[in-house]
Amino acid sequence: MTSFVVLTTAEAMATAGAIETLRPLPWARLLLNRIEDGGGLTTGNMSALFEARFGQALHDCGVTPVYEYAAGVGETSVDFSCGDWNVELLSFDESDAAKAATWEAGPFFGRLLSSPVPPTADDAQLDETERQRRSDLRKQSPEGEALKAIERIVGKAQNNGRPSKFPLPDGERKSMLIVDARAHGRPDRLDCTQIAYGAEAVPEWAAYRWIADDGQVFPIVGAFDARNPMRGARHFQECVHFLGIVSEETYEREELQYFIRFYHNPTLFPSKDDALAALRTFPLFQPEKTRARRPDLFLHEVFEVQGSTVQFGVVIDGRIVICRAHGDILENIEERGLPAGSKQMVEAFHRHEHLLRRIASEKAKRDLVDADGTIFLAPKDLSLLPVRRRVGEG
């Protein structure tokens, strides 16, 4: 079966450079031995290679960490200690469900994940083999992958039912789990938010709901949600201050310093401002660099609705340009009325956000920009792209 998670040339070359950077550093000797013992630059060793790139990022920020730091939880250790931070890394591998959802046809391959289908009334009459097959198919879904990701994350805080890795907060040191999420399919902002906080933290249209074998439907609860029943969840919520999620794309040397999404544990901070103040002491949290290098990661921050106009941002030549899409263009795409400033209008924007950004980019290429530097989108602009105007597309 073809694997979607393999060591690429770009990753191998970047990691080889990281290894050479770390080679003369005494603290990295144990890490480099682990990489060598694991087979070096191989797909099966990707979790250790991620640690090497992370170690290089700390070194580049002037940090001399302790590798395999005993944080005082039994005989376990976290991967890195730097300053007042305990940092554990977790590299997702492909789940069994994701592997089962992979298809091959000669030189071609792909993966099909579909939202779970409720059991039918006649499921009870099926034999156990068929019921299990249908149950497994429900797991081959974005919802199932999100649940698996959350299970792996909170599972880091326990080992055979006993606390592991992360100590109880002492008012000084802070704990963080950073996840290499490439095997999850490069999760976007909404995926990451649900993994951290659950379905209730995202717009209704994007919320994941799980359908159990008995037909019950319930929203997915995140790693920091007190209702999470998974093993390790309670200790994770009591001890871990931040969850970081990263899915590298280019493997350029500074990527880990601007590409990690951070999510704070609301149980351990009185407010978001307090969490942000603490996070600013973490060496790889560099929001100013992030905005300069990856402005597209912040596009959602300029989104707002002003009456009948949706305002959003698009990256053009490395800078964010403000765009205004009139509700008429959304009505034209969806072929239905949308009350100005309504929830339906916001949901329609999110459904067709990719299409609107493409149209805005096309207008910019043609220098169809307003005098104030903004871009206005109206129904006539749909002619700039071949658009199939059908509800739900975009």
Side-chain angles (χ1 to χ4, degrees):
M1 178 64 68
T2 299
S3 174
F4 276 68
V5 183
V6 296
L7 183 68
T8 64
T9 300
E11 180 177 356
M13 292 179 63
T15 310
I19 290 171
E20 291 310 308
T21 298
L22 299 178
R23 196 175 299 283
L25 306 178
W27 72 260
R29 188 172 299 115
L30 181 60
L31 170 56
L32 298 183
N33 288 343
R34 180 191 170 193
I35 291 173
E36 184 177 349
D37 292 344
L41 299 173
T42 64
T43 294
N45 209 19
M46 287 171 66
S47 62
L49 304 185
F50 177 62
E51 291 184 7
R53 296 193 300 278
F54 185 84
Q56 176 182 248
L58 291 176
H59 171 74
D60 288 347
C61 291
V63 174
T64 301
V66 176
Y67 184 66
E68 292 295 343
Y69 174 73
V73 185
E75 297 182 357
T76 64
S77 62
V78 293
D79 291 318
F80 293 90
S81 170
C82 50
D84 293 330
W85 290 89
N86 304 313
V87 183
E88 177 71 7
L89 305 187
L90 168 62
S91 291
F92 285 160
D93 53 11
E94 290 180 284
S95 68
D96 291 339
K99 291 176 182 177
T102 302
W103 57 265
E104 291 185 61
F108 305 103
F109 64 95
R111 177 167 292 164
L112 179 61
L113 297 173
S114 303
S115 291
V117 178
T120 61
D122 64 349
D123 271 21
Q125 309 303 318
L126 301 173
D127 60 40
E128 178 61 28
T129 300
E130 179 59 18
R131 287 201 302 272
Q132 185 61 50
R133 187 188 73 83
R134 296 190 182 191
S135 177
D136 290 342
L137 283 175
R138 278 190 281 277
K139 297 174 184 176
Q140 296 173 28
S141 61
E143 293 84 350
E145 288 296 284
L147 279 174
K148 191 65 178 178
I150 296 166
E151 179 184 57
R152 289 167 170 165
I153 287 169
V154 300
K156 267 291 187 177
Q158 66 86 32
N159 185 16
N160 293 324
R162 298 178 63 84
S164 178
K165 302 287 185 180
F166 307 106
L168 289 168
D170 60 5
E172 296 183 5
R173 296 190 65 81
K174 295 170 287 292
S175 294
M176 176 183 291
L177 176 68
I178 294 183
V179 176
D180 171 12
R182 286 172 296 161
H184 190 72
R186 298 192 184 278
D188 61 19
R189 175 176 55 88
L190 294 173
D191 292 327
C192 294
T193 301
Q194 291 192 76
I195 288 171
Y197 303 121
E200 295 177 359
V202 301
E204 179 72 17
W205 63 268
Y208 286 151
R209 288 173 174 77
W210 179 248
I211 299 176
D213 290 345
D214 61 4
Q216 292 191 57
V217 180
F218 56 88
I220 288 177
V221 295
F224 288 133
D225 194 314
R227 297 168 297 179
N228 191 318
M230 297 175 180
R231 293 183 69 184
R234 181 177 176 181
H235 190 67
F236 185 84
Q237 293 158 14
E238 290 176 344
C239 301
V240 178
H241 294 78
F242 289 93
L243 171 65
I245 302 178
V246 61
S247 184
E248 295 164 278
E249 293 181 352
T250 65
Y251 304 98
E252 53 187 291
R253 182 158 181 166
E254 293 187 336
E255 187 168 8
L256 287 176
Q257 291 149 249
Y258 65 82
F259 205 56
I260 302 175
R261 293 183 172 98
F262 295 96
Y263 300 88
H264 76 282
N265 182 350
T267 300
L268 298 182
F269 294 100
S271 69
K272 289 184 179 179
D273 288 340
D274 290 291
L276 180 60
L279 186 58
R280 285 193 177 278
T281 69
F282 184 67
L284 300 191
F285 178 65
Q286 300 186 21
E288 291 77 17
K289 179 180 290 187
T290 302
R291 287 179 180 275
R293 297 284 294 275
R294 287 298 303 272
D296 54 301
L297 298 180
F298 294 86
L299 293 181
H300 63 282
E301 293 188 0
V302 298
F303 166 77
E304 61 180 308
V305 178
Q306 297 178 339
S308 61
T309 303
V310 178
Q311 182 170 291
F312 63 102
V314 65
V315 175
I316 296 176
D317 295 331
R319 63 187 182 90
I320 294 178
V321 175
I322 300 300
C323 304
R324 293 173 293 121
H326 196 277
D328 289 348
I329 193 172
L330 291 169
E331 291 187 354
N332 195 294
I333 295 171
E334 296 224 333
E335 298 180 349
R336 67 187 180 111
L338 298 168
S342 66
K343 177 181 177 182
Q344 296 95 316
M345 184 175 173
V346 175
E347 291 175 344
F349 166 77
H350 282 297
R351 279 193 293 273
H352 305 290
E353 185 175 355
H354 179 67
L355 173 62
L356 295 172
R357 293 190 192 285
R358 286 175 55 206
I359 296 173
S361 296
E362 188 63 29
K363 291 198 75 169
K365 290 178 184 177
R366 303 184 186 197
D367 202 26
L368 301 175
V369 180
D370 291 354
D372 61 359
T374 63
I375 297 175
F376 184 77
L377 303 184
K380 62 182 179 63
D381 295 318
L382 289 169
S383 63
L384 297 175
L385 294 175
V387 180
R388 295 179 60 190
R389 294 180 352 198
R390 189 172 67 190
V391 175
E393 289 192 345

